[in-house]
Amino acid sequence: FAVLVRRRERGRDEEEGRRCSCPVSAVSALLEHFAMLQRSMVLGAVITLTVVAIVTLTVFATRFATIANPIGPGNLARGAASTLRHNDFELWNVTGVSARELAHDVTSGQPFGGVSTARGPDRLDPPRHAPIHTPVSILTVLAGRKASEPPAISFIENGMSSDNAFGMRQDYKTLPPDSLPARLNFWVRVHLKLEHAGEQHDCGAMMLGQGSYRTGSVRQTIKNDWWIGGKGCYTWHGGVFCQCDKAILFFGGVESTHAMWVSVVSSFDFPLPPFEPAN
């Protein structure tokens, strides 16, 4: 009888153990599942943070490079990167232009691709009664944009002075009359011919240079400004008078960094050097 009682008690204990083992196994499996999920979430967070860090560093590196090498559109400034850019110089009131390159200088390490010309879209100036269509011709210099002293020095060494070269800042009225560029992106000497009012004019060898300057006191902007001149020119009254083959042409500032108004003048108070054909 005692043996039977012990067997019954042992069987009851085994039955109770089996009943208790199931919930414990379920809880253990659930805890293990949560642990795996937590590890997966931690791994995903680490991957996400790594990707965000890489993107952020890339953006900051690109932004720093842009600040260190500012790049600008044609008349808004812009760039020390070694990139060949279209630099447009506009001649208003001119129906056609040709410019054969004679010489050039550009900041060391910057590319140069030559000079080309084209007829641009007319300007529409709205006076009181009827709009006036002004013809525009464009001279384009393919070159990099990075200002330095050597091109400015060679610009002056090629015969440019405060008497025969004019700088085209938008605030040109406040420039000192004897100003000359201290730094230039590039300059070109071209044999300039243009058509004005149906007549062809040969202006011989002319110098065109592009520099840059900063505007604004708080948020500064870099702008590209042009210089124009020649040995047969004289700077006066917001522009430059040049002796061409048939007449004296006035290249006048229009409060623009990259455009000039061209007109024929019947006389000039100062004697100009005689016209010299370009070599």
Side-chain angles (χ1 to χ4, degrees):
F1 179 77
V3 172
L4 292 176
V5 170
R6 282 196 299 271
R7 287 180 179 176
R8 180 175 296 179
E9 290 178 352
R10 187 165 56 249
R12 188 166 52 247
D13 292 340
E14 291 177 356
E15 182 66 22
E16 290 178 357
R18 284 193 298 268
R19 291 176 183 177
C20 294
S21 63
C22 293
V24 170
S25 300
V27 171
S28 300
L30 185 60
L31 290 176
E32 185 178 357
H33 176 73
F34 278 126
M36 293 177 60
L37 181 62
Q38 187 176 15
R39 287 194 295 270
S40 300
M41 292 175 64
V42 170
L43 180 60
V46 170
I47 295 174
T48 302
L49 290 176
T50 303
V51 172
V52 170
I54 293 174
V55 173
T56 302
L57 290 175
T58 304
V59 170
F60 272 103
T62 305
R63 179 59 180 167
F64 178 79
T66 303
I67 294 174
N69 302 312
I71 296 177
N75 65 323
L76 294 177
R78 292 80 172 59
S82 298
T83 303
L84 196 64
R85 302 182 182 279
H86 288 74
N87 303 281
D88 294 337
F89 176 74
E90 297 181 4
L91 294 169
W92 298 356
N93 205 26
V94 172
T95 53
V97 63
S98 68
R100 177 173 59 89
E101 182 201 340
L102 303 175
H104 75 271
D105 193 8
V106 65
T107 294
S108 177
Q110 294 296 304
F112 182 82
V115 180
S116 62
T117 58
R119 175 69 186 271
D122 289 355
R123 284 182 53 82
L124 185 60
D125 298 315
R128 292 184 178 180
H129 303 292
I132 297 177
H133 290 265
T134 301
V136 176
S137 292
I138 301 175
L139 187 153
T140 301
V141 179
L142 291 173
R145 296 189 197 131
K146 182 179 180 182
S148 64
E149 293 181 1
I153 294 173
S154 61
F155 181 81
I156 297 171
E157 290 176 345
N158 275 264
M160 295 298 96
S161 69
S162 57
D163 291 332
N164 59 16
F166 177 73
M168 298 167 51
R169 289 190 181 185
Q170 283 189 310
D171 57 346
Y172 72 94
K173 292 181 179 178
T174 64
L175 286 175
D178 58 347
S179 61
L180 281 172
R183 294 159 60 87
L184 287 177
N185 301 332
F186 59 82
W187 62 259
V188 293
R189 185 168 70 245
V190 297
H191 181 191
L192 185 66
K193 296 180 180 180
L194 53 85
E195 182 178 341
H196 169 76
E199 191 169 6
Q200 299 287 334
H201 295 272
D202 185 344
C203 294
M206 297 280 290
M207 296 280 288
L208 291 170
Q210 187 196 75
S212 61
Y213 68 102
R214 296 180 181 272
T215 63
S217 57
V218 180
R219 295 189 61 184
Q220 290 192 340
T221 301
I222 302 176
K223 291 190 176 182
N224 296 313
D225 57 331
W226 286 81
W227 294 77
I228 182 172
K231 294 182 178 180
C233 301
Y234 193 87
T235 303
W236 188 253
H237 286 306
V240 61
F241 294 81
C242 297
Q243 179 66 63
C244 299
D245 60 342
K246 298 177 181 177
I248 297 173
L249 295 187
F250 175 64
F251 297 82
V254 289
E255 298 193 32
S256 169
T257 58
H258 66 290
M260 301 202 86
W261 180 275
V262 179
S263 59
V264 174
V265 296
S266 57
S267 62
F268 187 54
D269 295 336
F270 297 91
L272 291 173
F275 169 73
E276 292 185 8
N279 296 327

